[in-house]
Amino acid sequence: MVPRAILDPAQKVVTMSRSPIAPSAHGDASVGGSALPRRRLLQLAGLGALAAAVPGGRAVAQGASRPPARRKGQIVMGISQEPTVFNPVRPHIEVDDGVYFNIFSPLWLIDPKGDLVPQLAVEIPSKANGGISADGLTWRIRLRPGVTWHDGAPFTAEDVKFTLELINRPDFPAYSRSGHNLVRDIQVVSPTELTWRMERLYVPYLSVLATTFMVPRHILGAGGDPKDSPFNNKPVGTGPFRFVERRPGEHILLEANDRFFGEGPHVERVVIRYIPDLTVLKTQFQTGAIDYIGPQGISADNWEEAKAMPGRRVFKAPRAFIENIALNHERAPFKDPAVRRALYLAMDKATIIKDIYYGINSPAETYMPAESWAFNPDLPLHRYDPALARKVLDDAGWKPGQGGVREKDGVRLAFSNSTTTGNHLREQTQQFLQQGWRDIGADMSIRNFPPAVMWGDYWRKSQYDSTMTATAYMVGSDPDVRDRLSSKAIPNRTGNGLNTPGYENAEVDVLLEAGNVELDREKRKEIYRKVQAIVRRDLPILPMFQSTTIEGVKSGLVGYQANVNLRANFWNVNTWYWAT
């Protein structure tokens, strides 16, 4: 066997000859009346444990139900943020991933148990099957025969070679080059086999490839600049559904792919509707206008009401996302570690979790989810202490100025905070933080945007002062966080990476590089625990809590499975079906 750490020593491999997705169920959208959402009156300064996953990883009781012999009906999916990037190897946000899993395919994926499951590949490469050499540097990938793109063109090893080379092109704005930039000498052996050499050992690469979707060489490599290809607005994949249309501000329409190589799909079409107002989104789920309500769809203050909805099943889905305040280190106030520490001391995290989020979420001191084997449980616990926050600022030379706003060397302790419009719990959190920080002499203004604007250049090009966001730092189930925390992953400087706050720490850089080549799991764990301790001290972000998403389906819809290893829980819609 290849050393287990090449996969993630806790991660198993599932070898499958046919179905690429673990088994996990119509619907015509109807709009009925409306219902007023339950409200809690917040009285915050004058204005729980993370929920367990559904038993067995199943979100609905399956009983003896089986997929229909012939596909039928449609699924109307409601999400709060609009997908805007349709080339999966370009920079994108979490909600785009759910669309990609339905249009495109990776070589393999990570299932809810953390197992690697073949997709376009027939097996997970290992030393035992000859796919990875003993030193982890030579790889051989065997592909499924007979797979076609949605336009009928054959999928071959040339497409895999093209995808990896496109990601590595200096002039192409890639989502991430981590791991890919170590691939050398890609050789196409046959239409269903290719090899490459790794410049050096990179332990997380199997996890990287689990969320790297293949793109078509015959379209993107046919001439012209791939950055400006029509493909980017009308994608062609190998996945279970083919792209039909996108109506900006309204929906995306997908239809079943008759040539799909795996299980299903069991419905004729999928309509992905985006409704940024969470109250409206919840009401449409309640009245039957949508069949599935996805990321951020049911807010914590509506959990009790949602559980009582007739004909609906709702679930608490643990996620790898950490809700945090990201601070732009290019902005003068945040260059001072005393400011970052003071803001954290003046954050009443416990009240935010209890009174705004109804105790649904667990407090976090790190960017790492508690389910990770690399999680550091020994970090200092957050302390809410406004008096100490004022002292920290006093000692650092930040003195009260006009209007009580502190100043130092001509710089005012004033900044904006941004998040997506329509998310009322985040907006309430902003208002609460605004008041608490004002009390220590920090002037925070609120500047929110629609999702398409918020997560566009404003986020990717670090045009913000600070943001309130939920961020997944890991690569699937692997604790590699170079894309988020390495100084080599600051997109404004390097053109790639996801370190938009611009965090820099030389010791963290060294540790992250060491973690990527260490095969011993216990040694890797120690490395990533050290990284977490340094980040907790430096506070490039102010962690609040690990997210729990409340999602739901109509009672007759079977197949939903929460997957903490992925960024969207509509990753396996090809297995969903209507039981009645």
Side-chain angles (χ1 to χ4, degrees):
M1 286 287 291
V2 171
R4 294 294 285 175
I6 286 182
L7 308 182
D8 166 350
Q11 185 178 75
K12 293 186 291 182
V13 171
V14 177
T15 301
M16 303 176 70
S17 60
R18 190 192 67 82
S19 177
I21 296 181
S24 343
H26 254 116
D28 295 318
S30 60
V31 180
S34 61
L36 292 176
R38 180 176 63 84
R39 297 289 186 185
R40 176 186 284 184
L41 297 178
L42 297 178
Q43 296 179 343
L44 303 176
L47 287 174
L50 184 68
V54 177
R58 308 305 286 259
V60 290
Q62 304 293 331
S65 176
R66 293 290 183 270
R70 298 179 62 182
R71 70 173 64 107
K72 63 177 181 178
Q74 68 176 13
I75 300 172
V76 180
M77 313 184 75
I79 58 178
S80 63
Q81 298 184 7
E82 179 175 359
T84 58
V85 179
F86 298 100
N87 183 331
V89 296
R90 294 192 59 162
H92 55 272
I93 61 171
E94 290 80 1
V95 71
D96 297 315
D97 283 2
V99 179
Y100 299 155
F101 270 110
N102 290 290
I103 297 176
F104 298 97
S105 310
L107 295 173
W108 45 81
L109 59 76
I110 303 175
D111 75 4
K113 296 179 181 179
D115 297 341
L116 295 175
V117 183
Q119 288 258 280
L120 292 171
V122 297
E123 61 189 4
I124 310 300
S126 68
K127 182 179 179 181
N129 62 30
I132 302 179
S133 62
D135 61 5
L137 299 181
T138 302
W139 291 50
R140 180 177 297 270
I141 309 297
R142 296 173 57 233
L143 303 174
R144 293 177 182 272
V147 176
T148 63
W149 295 97
H150 293 158
D151 60 4
F155 165 79
T156 73
E158 293 287 357
D159 295 301
V160 180
K161 181 176 187 288
F162 173 80
T163 300
L164 298 182
E165 290 177 342
L166 177 63
I167 291 170
N168 283 321
R169 276 179 50 169
D171 63 339
F172 183 78
Y175 171 71
S176 171
R177 295 191 179 96
S178 290
H180 301 305
N181 59 354
L182 301 175
V183 175
R184 303 286 187 272
D185 305 329
I186 303 175
Q187 301 293 324
V188 172
V189 178
S190 74
T192 57
E193 189 173 331
L194 73 158
T195 65
W196 65 70
R197 176 178 60 85
M198 301 296 289
E199 182 68 19
R200 61 171 175 80
L201 182 64
Y202 181 65
V203 175
Y205 198 45
L206 282 172
S207 286
V208 170
L209 288 171
T211 53
T212 300
F213 299 89
M214 298 298 112
V215 295
R217 175 179 179 268
H218 71 283
I219 297 177
L220 286 171
D225 190 339
K227 296 193 300 292
D228 303 319
S229 172
F231 169 90
N232 296 331
N233 292 310
K234 194 171 183 179
V236 175
T238 57
F241 295 92
R242 64 180 185 86
F243 183 89
V244 177
E245 69 172 6
R246 174 203 177 204
R247 293 189 181 179
E250 295 183 15
H251 70 257
I252 296 167
L253 175 61
L254 309 178
E255 289 187 350
N257 172 20
D258 292 330
R259 301 186 180 95
F260 183 52
F261 56 83
E263 178 185 347
H266 302 306
V267 296
E268 294 287 351
R269 68 192 65 84
V270 171
V271 182
I272 302 173
R273 297 182 58 192
Y274 12 97
I275 305 167
D277 188 301
L278 298 189
T279 299
V280 174
L281 180 57
K282 185 266 300 184
T283 300
Q284 293 210 8
F285 176 62
Q286 183 176 19
T287 59
I290 58 178
D291 306 312
Y292 157 78
I293 185 166
Q296 299 182 346
I298 300 176
S299 55
D301 57 335
N302 287 312
W303 165 244
E304 295 296 333
E305 178 190 5
K307 287 194 300 183
M309 290 180 184
R312 306 290 182 270
R313 295 181 181 271
V314 294
F315 327 103
K316 295 177 181 178
R319 309 186 76 196
F321 290 79
I322 304 300
E323 187 84 4
N324 68 90
I325 303 295
L327 306 173
N328 186 342
H329 289 232
E330 292 299 314
R331 300 296 191 261
F334 303 137
K335 293 179 183 292
D336 189 341
V339 169
R340 304 194 298 271
R341 184 184 174 208
L343 291 176
Y344 199 45
L345 284 166
M347 173 189 286
D348 189 353
K349 184 189 301 189
T351 298
I352 291 170
I353 294 171
K354 177 179 178 290
D355 289 339
I356 298 181
Y357 285 91
Y358 287 58
I360 291 292
N361 303 297
S362 295
E365 299 297 339
T366 176
Y367 56 83
M368 192 75 73
E371 291 83 358
S372 171
W373 55 263
F375 173 76
N376 187 341
D378 300 322
L379 298 174
L381 294 179
H382 174 260
R383 173 183 177 184
Y384 173 57
D385 192 335
L388 180 57
R390 296 186 191 96
K391 183 179 186 304
V392 167
L393 291 173
D394 287 338
D395 292 347
W398 291 90
K399 304 303 181 183
Q402 185 176 3
V405 179
R406 292 178 182 264
E407 298 179 0
K408 179 180 178 180
D409 299 330
V411 176
R412 298 179 76 243
L413 186 45
F415 57 94
S416 65
N417 182 264
S418 302
T419 194
T420 50
T421 54
N423 188 325
H424 61 283
L425 297 189
R426 280 185 175 169
E427 290 168 349
Q428 290 170 5
T429 303
Q430 284 178 313
Q431 294 164 13
F432 184 53
L433 290 174
Q434 183 182 50
Q435 178 172 312
W437 286 342
R438 180 73 187 191
D439 289 345
I440 66 167
D443 182 18
M444 186 193 89
S445 58
I446 297 172
R447 190 182 184 207
N448 294 341
F449 301 95
V453 177
M454 178 71 200
W455 308 122
D457 287 348
Y458 188 71
W459 168 257
R460 290 194 294 263
K461 295 185 177 181
S462 306
Q463 296 171 354
Y464 59 86
D465 291 344
S466 71
T467 64
M468 183 180 297
T469 180
T471 307
Y473 281 76
M474 298 198 307
V475 179
S477 60
D478 192 277
D480 176 37
V481 291
R482 286 196 313 166
D483 273 354
R484 297 284 184 182
L485 296 176
S486 171
S487 65
K488 298 177 182 178
I490 300 174
N492 273 350
R493 300 181 189 176
T494 64
N496 71 96
L498 303 168
N499 184 1
T500 66
Y503 173 59
E504 294 183 82
N505 183 293
E507 186 179 1
V508 167
D509 285 347
V510 171
L511 287 169
L512 292 178
E513 293 299 329
N516 288 331
V517 297
E518 177 57 63
L519 292 176
D520 185 278
R521 172 173 167 168
E522 290 305 310
K523 291 181 180 179
R524 284 194 88 201
K525 180 188 293 185
E526 184 61 27
I527 288 170
Y528 290 114
R529 286 188 171 187
K530 286 181 179 178
V531 172
Q532 291 170 73
I534 295 169
V535 172
R536 173 62 178 83
R537 180 199 69 201
D538 290 352
L539 292 173
I541 64 167
L542 310 181
M544 290 192 287
F545 54 80
Q546 183 177 344
S547 298
T548 296
T549 295
I550 303 172
E551 301 185 337
V553 296
K554 287 183 178 176
S555 295
L557 186 57
V558 180
Y560 170 94
Q561 285 185 284
N563 191 338
V564 73
N565 301 300
L566 300 177
R567 303 196 304 174
N569 283 330
F570 50 110
W571 60 283
N572 66 332
V573 179
N574 62 296
T575 68
W576 295 18
Y577 61 91
W578 291 99
T580 56

